[in-house]
Amino acid sequence: MLTLPFDEPHMICEPRFGANYPRDSSPESLEQEQRHNPDRASSVMREAEDDISDREDDDRDDDQDEDGLPKKRGPRKKKGKEQMDRSKLRRQEANARERSRMHGLNAALESLRRVVPCYSKTQKLSKIETLRLAKNYIWALSETLSAGKRPDLLAFVQTLCKGLSQPTTNLVAGCLQLNARNFLTDHNGEVMFSGRSPYDAMYSYPGSDMNTPPGHSGSGLDSSAKPFRHYSYSGAYEPYYENPSPESGSPHFDSQLSPPMNFNGIFSLKHDDPPDYGKSSHYGMRYCSAPGRTALAHNSMYRVSPEARFPYDLHVRSQSFQAQGEVNGSYHN
DNA sequence: TAGGCCATCTGGTCCT
DNA sequence: AGGACCAGATGGCCTA
């Protein structure tokens, strides 16, 4: 059960997930900690103060008893002090374990953030929203799979945003190039739709004059599929095309944000390469890399050709998705 | 400034 | 006994 060898002091001081747990509580190190991590530093200072007060208490205890009389010294008292020290040490060890555990939890949550349909390094989803969105995403994908036919995009997106806060809904809408005004969540968490078809917005690529649609590279997803429509629709949220390239007119992706890309008529937005994916997931349907990155989990259904221009040149790795052509064809018409 | 989010500490409980 | 897990408390940071 022991996850950290606390009998090794350096391990106590260096939790696995990067907390700057200081090696000592000296004033210098605390001052440094205060600059880099004031939160942590304050707690460390509290610990240090506790240690000091404990020492003072111990000194008092060593000098006097409750009545102020000179204290009896001997093994019994020494044992009590040892027990106190031991208790304090155990508490500190427990704190370190708890920190480490929470860091692990946060790391897992971060990996989850990377695989839900809206990921941004700069505008992170909160923990609770990440969990909600992940749940909705799983649910929406399950519904799509169980239906075995062309998914209803509106329903998909609605499911995705169900129960999310308005800011998160806005963020998701931004990721999907949807106009959030057309995609409102009421107070009950029910998603309301008004305005134009989300399909339109879904295939909107502002700043791009692509003739070749996302997911089509010539040897692409479905040779019968027609090109994507190109809308110059400008919704309220266009976070990924902040600096269109003046030469090419092609979109410039903020490397801090997830560019949208299309998959099977469902959006798929990605991402950095999540380290854990592609190793085992047979249905890795999403990973596309940012420009200059080498892409895609090995077992992903798609891979990106080396000369492919992100994020549009995708190649079907196998015929593993039967409805793909139908879906693409339908949506692209 | 209030509220949301977060990291951390802490004590309790359960389990091995 | 000791580790994992959990929830409450606390304080810092950030934003509307």
Side-chain angles (χ1 to χ4, degrees), chain A residues 110-111 113-116 118-122 254-259 269-277 286-297 310:
Chain A
E110 179 60 27
S111 68
R113 278 193 189 100
R114 290 166 181 263
V115 298
V116 294
C118 190
Y119 175 66
S120 166
K121 283 179 181 173
T122 54
D254 179 349
S255 62
Q256 298 296 300
L257 295 168
S258 306
L269 312 156
K270 295 309 167 189
H271 281 173
D272 294 334
D273 298 331
D276 296 335
Y277 281 77
R286 56 170 75 81
Y287 299 108
C288 188
S289 70
R293 297 177 191 163
T294 35
L296 243 40
F310 174 88

Side-chain angles (χ1 to χ4, degrees), chain A residues 157-172:
Chain A
V157 178
Q158 285 177 337
T159 301
L160 211 57
C161 290
K162 202 157 191 168
L164 299 184
S165 68
Q166 188 62 59
T168 305
T169 299
N170 290 345
L171 187 63
V172 172

Side-chain angles (χ1 to χ4, degrees), chain A residues 28-47:
Chain A
E28 295 79 10
S29 64
L30 286 175
E31 187 179 350
Q32 193 172 10
E33 180 73 16
Q34 185 76 53
R35 280 196 297 273
H36 297 313
N37 192 345
D39 209 357
R40 173 91 274 278
S42 63
S43 63
V44 171
M45 289 176 74
R46 278 200 302 276
E47 284 184 9

Side-chain angles (χ1 to χ4, degrees), chain A residues 33-268:
Chain A
E33 180 73 16
Q34 185 76 53
R35 280 196 297 273
H36 297 313
N37 192 345
D39 209 357
R40 173 91 274 278
S42 63
S43 63
V44 171
M45 289 176 74
R46 278 200 302 276
E47 284 184 9
E49 288 167 2
D50 287 346
D51 289 342
I52 292 173
S53 63
D54 284 342
R55 277 198 300 274
E56 290 172 350
D57 289 343
D58 292 340
D59 290 340
R60 248 195 334 270
D61 289 345
D62 286 345
D63 293 333
Q64 296 176 335
D65 63 13
E66 304 90 351
D67 299 325
L69 300 173
K71 277 182 36 182
K72 299 166 186 169
R73 299 171 188 272
R76 197 175 65 83
K77 183 61 192 175
K78 185 179 180 185
K79 184 181 175 183
K81 181 182 180 344
E82 282 178 356
Q83 281 179 339
M84 271 182 52
D85 290 345
R86 182 173 171 76
S87 174
K88 182 170 278 295
L89 180 64
R90 284 189 55 199
R91 186 64 258 172
Q92 288 177 355
E93 290 173 350
N95 290 346
R97 282 194 302 273
E98 179 66 9
R99 277 197 302 274
S100 179
R101 194 181 70 85
M102 294 309 296
H103 290 163
L105 195 60
N106 290 340
L109 206 54
E110 179 60 27
S111 68
L112 184 61
R113 278 193 189 100
R114 290 166 181 263
V115 298
V116 294
C118 190
Y119 175 66
S120 166
K121 283 179 181 173
T122 54
Q123 194 176 355
K124 286 191 353 182
L125 290 175
S126 71
K127 293 179 176 182
I128 185 67
E129 295 290 80
T130 299
L131 293 175
R132 285 176 180 147
L133 181 57
K135 182 206 73 175
N136 292 347
Y137 191 37
I138 292 168
W139 181 261
L141 290 176
S142 299
E143 289 292 296
T144 300
L145 285 174
S146 62
K149 61 186 179 66
R150 190 183 91 169
D152 181 295
L153 277 187
L154 177 57
F156 192 94
V157 178
Q158 285 177 337
T159 301
L160 211 57
C161 290
K162 202 157 191 168
L164 299 184
S165 68
Q166 188 62 59
T168 305
T169 299
N170 290 345
L171 187 63
V172 172
C175 288
L176 304 181
Q177 301 295 303
L178 285 171
N179 186 334
R181 287 171 302 185
N182 292 341
F183 196 73
L184 302 176
T185 304
D186 66 17
H187 296 303
N188 299 321
E190 296 295 322
V191 177
M192 303 178 295
F193 174 75
S194 65
R196 63 186 294 164
S197 164
Y199 296 2
D200 294 357
M202 198 75 71
Y203 297 114
S204 163
Y205 293 87
S208 166
D209 62 350
M210 294 177 296
N211 292 322
T212 303
H216 289 254
S217 64
S219 60
L221 297 173
D222 181 359
S223 59
S224 66
K226 295 177 182 177
F228 277 66
R229 296 176 190 176
H230 172 224
Y231 294 100
S232 58
Y233 171 61
S234 179
Y237 298 88
E238 299 182 353
Y240 306 123
Y241 301 91
E242 297 174 349
N243 302 301
S245 167
E247 306 92 326
S248 64
S250 60
H252 172 268
F253 295 99
D254 179 349
S255 62
Q256 298 296 300
L257 295 168
S258 306
M261 89 184 216
N262 183 272
F263 159 72
N264 283 343
I266 308 173
F267 40 78
S268 179

